[in-house]
């Protein structure tokens, strides 16, 4: 090869480098470790340790995780809840005997609760599964808007039901896009305001009592309340005088009205009439609520308060016309006494004055059109204050019972289209308990509120 190169002859390099590397490696292995690999294999094949080592190298290892379809987990959770229902029924019947009592069911109660808790935990996923997808969303919106944006993710280890996370994914995308488009200014305007050219959007999750809060916060200029008042007047929802009387908290609910937008012009991201009402509908669908916090010159934050699970619903039970109903604890803000001096008629409805605030008062007996309800409801002085972070309403009930976790199931025909109820659960006594759709009551209260 060297002679051919010196004489200028044409040299065929094909396979030469490969053979050279094999030769060098073979010589290096013999010099450093002694005999070649072939010699080592022949000498150690008869060794008693060789067979076990070879078997260990070919041992198949399995992963510790198992993929289970969600439908199987739903079925397992349903069976677990039915076990709890039968346990409560059995406990009620047996406790009537003097020789039995609640202490005899302590072990059974503990095992049943642990089983249900374990099944619920198996359905939980980390919010990181959804959060990590927003890096691309922010980059694309920032590129279209000509802005510099930094996305910060916090609380990615928080766990929530997979179905809840899937249901609010589109709503969360809308909030993040709004934070970049509406909340943040261009780099030039941020420099004029004394801020760094790159804006910040923080997407965080944290637990709060029995729910999970997902927050979208930006360090922009905050909500322009003057523009919001102007849009409310232009839409004909309020007169200019009434709009000026509203505080910032009174203006926030109008942000979630269909067709409302504060964008001065139509762009690829904003101003198209698809507003925060889509976000509110998605949150109402999972039994959550939304809150707004804004400070001029500092930024805006939207908080979504979500249930950890869609299947097991903590409710407050109450009695109305001989039937038991449940209202989700997520919406319960308090229980009040309805004193006559604080209740007065407005138009065709009633209003309640509670802590210097006016809120609609709804009579569930009249709404349900239940038999023998009118007299009892009017004499009842118990009210439950409900709110979704934007609006509040008080419902008059006959009697309060207790708090309870119910396995909520969809309503069968012909009640599947009934907007006053979100579902139903079975009590330990075997009776069916209808769960109130709070969003429908808040909508009723809106039509009977002081603004109307």
């Amino acid at each position: 090869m060297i002679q051919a190169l010196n004489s200028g002859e044409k040299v065929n390099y094909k396979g030469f480098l490969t053979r050279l590397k094999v030769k060098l490696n073979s010589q290096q292995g013999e010099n450093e470790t002694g005999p070649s690999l072939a010699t080592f294999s022949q000498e150690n094949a008869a060794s008693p340790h060789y067979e076990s080592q070879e078997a260990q190298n070919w041992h198949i290892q399995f992963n510790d995780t198992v993929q289970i379809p969600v439908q199987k987990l739903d079925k397992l959770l349903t069976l677990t809840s039915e076990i709890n229902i039968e346990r409560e029924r059995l406990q009620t019947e047996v406790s009537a005997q003097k020789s039995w009592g609640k202490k005899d069911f302590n072990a059974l109660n503990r095992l049943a609760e642990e089983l249900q808790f374990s099944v619920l935990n198996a359905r939980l996923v980390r919010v990181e599964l959804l959060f990590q997808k927003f890096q691309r969303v922010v980059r694309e919106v920032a590129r279209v808007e000509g802005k510099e944006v930094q996305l910060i993710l916090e609380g990615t280890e928080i766990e929530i039901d997979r179905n809840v996370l899937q249901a609010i994914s589109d709503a969360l995308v809308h909030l993040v896009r709004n934070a970049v488009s509406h909340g943040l200014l261009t780099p030039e305007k941020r420099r004029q305001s004394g801020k760094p050219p790159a804006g910040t959007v923080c997407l965080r999750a944290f637990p709060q009592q029995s729910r999970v809060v997902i927050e979208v916060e930006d360090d922009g200029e905050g909500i322009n309340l003057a523009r919001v008042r102007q849009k409310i007047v232009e839409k004909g929802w309020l007169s200019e005088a009434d709009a000026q009387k509203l505080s910032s908290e009174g203006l926030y609910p109008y942000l979630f009205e269909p067709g409302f937008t504060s964008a001065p012009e139509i762009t690829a991201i904003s101003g198209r009439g698809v507003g925060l009402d889509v976000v509110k509908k998605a949150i109402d669908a999972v039994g959550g609520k939304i809150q707004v916090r804004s400070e001029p010159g500092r930024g805006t934050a939207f908080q979504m308060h979500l249930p950890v699970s869609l299947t097991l619903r903590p409710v407050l039970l109450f009695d109305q016309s001989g039937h038991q109903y449940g209202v989700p604890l997520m919406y319960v803000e308090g229980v009040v006494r309805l004193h006559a001096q604080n209740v007065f008629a407005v138009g065709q409805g009633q209003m309640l004055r509670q802590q210097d605030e006016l809120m609609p008062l709804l009579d569930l007996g009249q709404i349900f059109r239940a038999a023998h309800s009118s007299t009892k409801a009017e004499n009842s002085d118990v009210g439950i204050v409900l709110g979704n972070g934007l609006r509040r309403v008080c419902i008059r009930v006959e009697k309060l019972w207790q708090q309870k976790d119910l396995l909520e199931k969809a309503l069968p025909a012909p009640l599947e289209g009934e907007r006053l109820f979100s579902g139903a659960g079975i009590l330990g006594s075997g009776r069916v308990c209808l769960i109130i759709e709070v969003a429908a009551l808040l909508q009723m209260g809106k039509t009977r509120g002081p603004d109307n």
Side-chain angles (χ1 to χ4, degrees):
M1 175 68 70
I2 297 176
Q3 293 177 355
L5 289 174
N6 292 332
S7 61
E9 297 180 5
K10 185 177 180 179
V11 180
N12 184 10
Y13 292 94
K14 186 176 181 180
F16 174 73
L17 293 178
T18 302
R19 292 194 300 271
L20 182 60
K21 288 181 180 179
V22 172
K23 184 63 176 176
L24 293 176
N25 290 337
S26 177
Q27 292 179 354
Q28 183 180 2
E30 291 182 359
N31 294 334
E32 293 180 356
T33 61
S36 63
L37 180 61
T39 305
F40 176 82
S41 301
Q42 293 176 359
E43 293 178 354
N44 290 274
S47 173
H49 301 286
Y50 179 78
E51 184 176 357
S52 61
Q53 183 179 1
E54 189 71 17
Q56 184 178 1
N57 294 336
W58 288 97
H59 179 67
I60 299 177
Q61 296 182 353
F62 287 88
N63 198 340
D64 293 337
T65 60
V66 178
Q67 293 184 353
I68 302 177
V70 179
Q71 292 79 5
K72 290 187 177 181
L73 290 177
D74 292 340
K75 180 65 175 179
L76 184 59
L77 181 59
T78 301
L79 294 175
T80 304
S81 300
E82 291 179 356
I83 290 176
N84 285 331
I85 293 173
E86 289 299 317
R87 171 180 58 84
E88 292 182 4
R89 184 190 61 81
L90 183 61
Q91 182 175 348
T92 302
E93 294 180 358
V94 176
S95 61
Q97 303 180 18
K98 296 183 179 180
S99 59
W100 290 79
K102 289 185 177 180
K103 63 180 181 179
D104 299 296
F105 288 89
N106 286 341
L108 180 61
N109 291 341
R110 179 176 54 81
L111 293 175
E113 290 175 358
E114 289 183 0
L115 176 61
Q116 190 173 56
F117 182 76
S118 299
V119 175
L120 286 174
N121 273 350
R123 293 173 51 91
L124 302 183
V125 296
R126 296 174 57 151
V127 297
E128 182 183 11
L129 182 67
L130 180 61
F131 280 15
Q132 63 185 2
K133 300 180 180 180
F134 282 92
Q135 296 287 355
R136 180 179 178 182
V137 174
V138 170
R139 284 198 305 268
E140 292 181 352
V141 178
R143 177 180 54 81
V144 173
E145 295 285 327
K147 299 176 181 179
E148 300 178 11
V149 185
Q150 178 186 8
L151 178 63
I152 300 176
L153 304 180
E154 297 180 1
T156 56
E157 74 283 356
I158 300 299
E159 293 184 329
I160 193 171
D161 193 296
R162 174 188 175 275
N163 292 343
V164 177
L165 205 62
Q166 183 178 8
I168 59 98
S169 58
D170 291 340
L172 195 57
V173 170
H174 193 95
L175 288 178
V176 172
R177 287 163 61 97
N178 269 11
V180 179
S181 178
H182 290 279
L184 299 180
L185 298 177
T186 59
E188 293 76 12
K189 293 183 179 179
R190 288 181 62 88
R191 290 191 185 95
Q192 296 175 2
S193 302
K195 295 183 178 182
T200 301
V201 175
C202 184
L203 184 58
R204 66 170 61 92
F206 57 91
Q208 188 178 87
Q209 297 178 354
S210 60
R211 53 184 179 265
V212 172
V213 180
I214 296 181
E215 182 180 65
V216 180
E217 183 180 15
D218 64 74
D219 65 342
E221 294 302 301
I223 297 177
N224 191 331
L225 298 181
R227 186 181 300 171
V228 174
R229 289 189 175 94
Q230 179 184 354
K231 291 292 183 178
I232 292 175
V233 175
E234 291 178 358
K235 291 285 186 179
W237 294 334
L238 291 177
S239 64
E240 186 174 355
D242 291 336
Q244 293 297 331
K245 295 178 182 178
L246 290 179
S247 62
S248 58
E249 288 76 13
L251 291 173
Y252 292 154
Y254 290 95
L255 300 176
F256 299 87
E257 292 294 332
F260 181 88
T261 178
S262 60
E265 58 183 7
I266 299 177
T267 65
I269 304 299
S270 59
R272 299 167 297 162
V274 182
L276 293 174
D277 61 307
V278 177
V279 176
K280 184 175 178 298
K281 289 179 182 178
I283 297 176
D284 289 341
V286 298
K289 60 182 182 181
I290 188 167
Q291 293 180 342
V292 184
R293 186 181 71 254
S294 182
E295 186 176 351
R298 300 292 297 272
T300 305
F302 289 86
Q303 284 188 348
M304 295 187 294
H305 296 251
L306 306 170
V308 177
S309 173
L310 278 180
T311 307
L312 199 63
R313 182 73 68 94
V315 298
L316 175 62
L317 299 178
F318 63 89
D319 190 74
Q320 186 71 37
S321 307
H323 301 281
Q324 284 191 338
Y325 300 91
V327 60
L329 280 176
M330 171 78 71
Y331 298 103
V332 177
E333 297 188 1
V335 177
V336 297
R337 288 290 181 182
L338 304 178
H339 300 290
Q341 62 270 23
N342 294 331
V343 178
F344 51 92
V346 174
Q348 298 180 351
Q350 291 183 320
M351 299 294 296
L352 172 66
R353 185 185 299 276
Q354 179 70 19
Q355 297 179 352
D356 297 331
E357 179 184 355
L358 290 177
M359 67 183 71
L361 177 61
L362 303 179
D363 191 333
L364 290 187
Q366 296 178 1
I367 294 176
F368 294 160
R369 295 187 178 92
H372 311 293
S373 64
S374 58
T375 304
K376 294 181 180 180
E378 291 177 358
N379 294 333
S380 173
D381 60 349
V382 179
I384 303 176
V385 179
L386 306 175
N388 64 349
L390 301 172
R391 301 184 185 277
R392 301 175 74 192
V393 67
C394 182
I395 58 174
R396 187 195 297 267
V397 299
E398 292 180 7
K399 184 179 180 181
L400 292 177
W401 281 94
Q402 60 178 338
Q403 298 180 12
K404 191 174 185 61
D405 292 338
L406 287 184
L407 177 65
E408 184 176 6
K409 297 183 179 181
L411 293 175
L415 296 176
E416 54 186 355
E418 177 56 56
R419 67 187 186 95
L420 288 177
F421 304 107
S422 62
I426 302 178
L427 302 175
S429 60
R431 299 177 60 184
V432 175
C433 173
L434 294 175
I435 300 178
I436 303 295
E437 179 60 78
V438 177
L441 295 181
L442 292 172
Q443 184 64 26
M444 289 183 181
K446 172 186 171 184
T447 60
R448 303 182 185 183
D451 297 339
N452 296 283

